[in-house]
């Protein structure tokens, strides 16, 4: 778990360092996230980091934004709603101060039981320490990439947080194959993402996706792509990126997997 904390800390630094370089007009640039510009993405990160640092939940009148489709989606609108008038510097400082306070606390009293529930989890989600600490680098890094794509400043694809996120999202492909696609038992899928170890999955007799210890000699479908393509598909950012994926084997199955890849909330 200490490793997750370190990767999250590096991800926070990378995000805020990027934000410090942006001109003020860039903060109103739309991102791949429906209804959110750069400012909203940053405000969301600031919101979650502050809740985790202080344990104090925020409230806001959200209404019914057309791009929101779930209760968690409504929750994530609180940060942007409460920070509409915040300046870029104020948002950057809020993230840095909240993350620093939390980082200091985690180093001083590191959690030792990954299955235990933290005292502070935003939105009342029933996460363990393991899940919370593992998800924070993914969330922060994905939002760094949202900003980079929006403002045309690519980078950060080789960082520890990038590796962590790609490998973490790869684990969901068994779920996609079995539950999202509904492939029959025995179906195999091989996913090769640049920079990550190739991952093979099958559907077991109980209808659940599981990762195979070694790739089969020939999977029913094979998908090959670079890291950015994978994260924008698995993150539900740009479905049209599927057009650049190299496919082998059952093209119909591969297409179903590509259409169902988005697994982040």
């Amino acid at each position: 778990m200490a490793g997750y904390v370190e990767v999250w800390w590096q991800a926070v630094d990378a995000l805020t360092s990027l934000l410090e370089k942006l001109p003020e007009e860039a903060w109103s640039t739309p991102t791949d996230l429906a209804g959110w510009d750069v400012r909203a993405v940053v405000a969301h990160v600031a919101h979650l980091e502050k809740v985790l640092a202080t344990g104090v939940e925020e409230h806001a009148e959200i209404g019914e934004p057309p791009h929101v489709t779930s209760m968690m989606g409504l929750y994530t609108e609180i940060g942007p709603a409460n920070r509409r008038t915040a300046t870029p510097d104020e948002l950057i400082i809020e993230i840095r101060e909240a993350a620093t306070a939390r980082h200091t606390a985690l180093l001083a009293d590191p959690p030792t039981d990954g299955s235990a529930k933290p005292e502070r989890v935003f939105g009342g989600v029933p996460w363990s320490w393991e899940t919370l600490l593992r998800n924070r680098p993914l969330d922060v890094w994905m939002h760094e990439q949202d900003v980079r794509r929006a403002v045309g400043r690519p980078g950060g694809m080789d960082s520890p947080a990038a590796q962590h996120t790609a490998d973490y999202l790869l684990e969901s492909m068994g779920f996609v194959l079995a539950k999202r696609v509904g492939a029959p038992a025995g179906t195999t899928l091989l996913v090769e993402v640049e920079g990550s170890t190739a991952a093979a999955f099958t559907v077991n007799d109980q209808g659940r996706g599981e990762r195979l210890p070694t790739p089969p000699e020939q999977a029913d479908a094979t998908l090959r792509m670079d890291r950015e393509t994978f994260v924008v598909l698995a993150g539900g950012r740009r479905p049209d990126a599927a057009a650049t994926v190299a496919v082998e084997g059952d093209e119909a199955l591969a297409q179903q997997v590509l259409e169902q890849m988005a697994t982040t909330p």
Side-chain angles (χ1 to χ4, degrees):
M1 289 188 290
Y4 297 149
V5 172
E6 179 58 28
V7 176
W8 157 76
W9 181 240
Q10 292 176 14
V12 169
D13 183 63
L15 172 62
T16 52
S17 296
L18 167 66
L19 297 175
E20 288 170 343
K21 299 179 178 69
L22 297 184
E24 187 164 356
E25 60 269 20
W27 288 67
S28 60
T29 307
T31 70
D32 290 330
L33 299 173
W36 280 14
D37 57 10
V38 169
R39 176 187 298 276
V41 169
V42 179
H44 164 66
V45 174
H47 170 216
L48 295 194
E49 292 298 341
K50 187 170 184 180
V51 171
L52 289 171
T54 65
V56 178
E57 285 286 2
E58 298 181 13
H59 304 279
E61 184 58 47
I62 304 302
E64 298 181 359
H67 59 275
V68 175
T69 59
S70 67
M71 290 300 294
M72 181 53 73
L74 284 173
Y75 179 83
T76 60
E77 293 293 323
I78 292 174
N82 286 340
R83 291 164 176 78
R84 288 194 180 103
T85 61
T87 68
D89 282 348
E90 288 171 339
L91 291 171
I92 294 168
I93 290 170
E94 183 177 17
I95 292 173
R96 284 196 177 276
E97 289 184 346
T100 298
R102 182 159 166 75
H103 186 239
T104 300
L106 287 169
L107 292 183
D109 186 19
T112 56
D113 182 359
S115 64
K117 186 173 180 179
E119 292 182 5
R120 302 170 183 174
V121 184
F122 46 77
V125 293
W127 284 355
S128 65
W129 269 113
E130 172 83 14
T131 302
L132 175 63
L133 295 181
R134 201 176 184 212
N135 271 274
R136 290 314 299 147
L138 179 151
D139 189 56
V140 174
W141 183 81
M142 288 291 285
H143 289 315
E144 176 200 336
Q145 292 303 312
D146 290 328
V147 173
R148 286 188 178 279
R149 288 192 303 277
V151 301
R153 297 197 181 196
M157 278 289 160
D158 296 324
S159 69
Q163 185 76 57
H164 169 87
T165 300
D167 291 346
Y168 193 177
L169 291 175
L170 259 174
E171 294 178 10
S172 68
M173 294 304 295
F175 169 79
V176 171
L177 179 67
K179 300 302 183 183
R180 289 281 184 82
V181 173
T187 302
T188 55
L189 172 70
L190 177 63
V191 184
E192 297 182 358
V193 176
E194 184 180 6
S196 296
T197 302
F201 304 88
T202 190
V203 180
N204 64 26
D205 291 338
Q206 289 73 47
R208 295 185 177 183
E210 60 181 43
R211 190 164 181 169
L212 295 169
T214 57
E217 290 187 11
Q218 185 169 354
D220 291 311
T222 297
L223 306 176
R224 295 189 179 93
M225 66 199 86
D226 60 31
R227 176 170 287 168
E228 183 170 17
T229 298
F230 177 70
V231 296
V232 297
L233 289 173
R237 266 56 173 183
R238 294 186 175 181
D240 58 355
T244 66
V245 177
V247 173
E248 290 183 9
D250 187 333
E251 293 190 7
L253 173 62
Q255 185 61 36
Q256 286 181 290
V257 171
L258 290 169
E259 290 174 354
Q260 299 293 332
M261 272 181 62
T263 55
T264 58

